[in-house]
């Protein structure tokens, strides 16, 4: 009898974490490495949020919390959904988890049975299919196209739905592509979903506040209220509030589902860290003006990276509407020979050779289910990004 669970054979390690770790190891050996794999802002958590955490410690808010979150945070979450998305949820319809990952995992654990299918548009965040597999479900991938700006078409969603479909996972703005769906683009998808009442929607809105130009964010239930009874809307404080290490994610949805997720979390981790929850209360209820300032900086970085990558031989980089990633194609380099003498046959070869030759760490697109592409996080300084793009240009020019 094997010691390790069979479920482990169905999942792979996180490619984004692996790239960040590889960059750290090379830096420790003295290599000059620019890591562009991490999906977290380089900004510090705002002072008012840090102050709220310190005050919570001083008040003695250091005990266990209710599994689904402190009442003050659940109320703040309900108010956030009403204020920013026009969605009416009671505090009892919300849940707080240790990061967005726990919210997603608990939703799948609470609902998936063997044979249940989960539609996941590609490219996708690396953890979606692995969570589905760990929970006994079957991920069903639907590829998007660069010429469509990596946005799922309604006809392709329709084709993917079967009687076994349990969930449709939706992420806008997207990790890894940065693609964001307009109200009309989203309406085309929700029209399809309205024809299939057995399909639930799990929408990951983690990058909601990071959209650029005149783009206006919308979430599925906001566009189609008829989906209210079968949608879990997930969000968190990690990205917009620069609070990745605080590990607070949250969601709102039908009460029956929230109760089921609460039961699982109660046997798993119980409540999220009390101090981080009080900090999240301040994040949601406090001043929001810094978000616009950070967005302006991110947009400048995006424009810099897109411009410089499109000047690299063999690279084609669309301009994304949101998040802090670009997802360029390296198709023009496939079949060429890297400076090391190795023939670049895949996007994984491309990123591996780039790291060895120029010390730039990015994530290969095949890890996100669609290549030949690679993901760059521009959540780092403009100087670092400019130097990294120069190195990419130099590497591409040296390929023959």
């Amino acid at each position: 009898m094997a010691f390790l669970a069979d479920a482990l054979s169905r999942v792979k390690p996180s490619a984004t974490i692996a790239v960040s770790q590889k960059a750290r190891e090379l830096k420790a050996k003295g290599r000059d490495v620019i890591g562009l794999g991490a999906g977290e802002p380089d900004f510090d958590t705002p002072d008012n949020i840090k102050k709220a955490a310190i005050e919570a410690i001083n008040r003695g808010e250091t005990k266990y919390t209710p599994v689904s979150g402190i009442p003050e945070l659940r109320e703040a979450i309900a108010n956030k959904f009403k204020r920013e998305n026009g969605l009416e949820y009671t505090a009892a319809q919300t849940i707080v988890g240790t990061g967005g990952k726990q919210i997603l995992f608990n939703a799948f654990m609470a609902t998936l049975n063997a044979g249940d299918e989960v539609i996941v548009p590609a490219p996708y965040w690396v953890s979606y299919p692995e969570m589905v597999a760990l929970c006994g479900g079957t991920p069903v991938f639907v590829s998007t196209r660069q010429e469509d700006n990596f946005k799922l078409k309604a006809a392709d969603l329709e084709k993917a739905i079967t009687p076994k479909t349990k969930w449709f996972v939706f992420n806008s703005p997207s990790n890894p592509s940065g693609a964001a769906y307009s109200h009309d683009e989203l309406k085309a998808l929700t029209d399809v979903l309205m024809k299939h009442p057995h399909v639930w929607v799990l929408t990951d809105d983690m990058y909601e506040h990071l959209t650029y130009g005149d783009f206006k964010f919308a979430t599925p239930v906001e566009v189609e209220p008829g989906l209210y009874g079968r949608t879990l809307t997930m969000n968190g404080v990690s990205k917009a509030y620069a609070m990745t290490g605080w590990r607070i994610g949250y969601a709102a949805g039908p009460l029956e589902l929230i109760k089921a997720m609460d039961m699982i979390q109660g046997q798993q981790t119980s409540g999220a860290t009390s101090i981080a929850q009080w900090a999240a209360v301040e994040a949601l209820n406090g001043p929001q003006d810094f978000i616009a300032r950070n967005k302006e900086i991110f947009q400048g970085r995006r424009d810099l990276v897109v411009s410089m990558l499109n000047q690299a031989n063999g690279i084609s980089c669309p301009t994304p509407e949101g998040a802090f990633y670009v997802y360029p194609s390296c198709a023009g380099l496939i079949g060429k020979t890297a400076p090391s003498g190795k023939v670049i046959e895949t996007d994984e070869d491309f990123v591996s050779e780039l790291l060895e030759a120029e010390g730039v760490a990015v994530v290969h697109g095949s890890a996100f289910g669609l290549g030949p592409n690679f993901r760059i996080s521009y959540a780092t300084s403009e100087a670092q990004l400019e130097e990294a793009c120069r190195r990419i240009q130099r590497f591409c020019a040296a390929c023959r």
Side-chain angles (χ1 to χ4, degrees), residues 121-123 142-146 148-153 156 181 370:
V142 185
S143 292
T144 60
R145 293 167 286 275
Q146 184 162 321
D148 296 327
N149 293 317
F150 303 111
K151 296 179 189 180
L152 180 66
K153 294 297 185 181
D156 294 328
Y181 291 70
L370 190 71

Side-chain angles (χ1 to χ4, degrees), residues 305-351:
V305 170
V306 169
S307 174
M308 292 190 72
L309 289 177
N310 280 322
Q311 295 172 51
N313 293 339
I315 301 295
S316 171
C317 184
T319 302
E321 296 94 340
F324 41 67
Y325 310 105
V326 292
Y327 199 67
S329 167
C330 57
L333 280 301
I334 301 301
K336 294 198 172 184
T337 302
S340 69
K342 178 178 174 57
V343 175
I344 299 172
E345 297 179 349
T346 65
D347 50 29
E348 191 165 4
D349 290 340
F350 172 82
V351 303

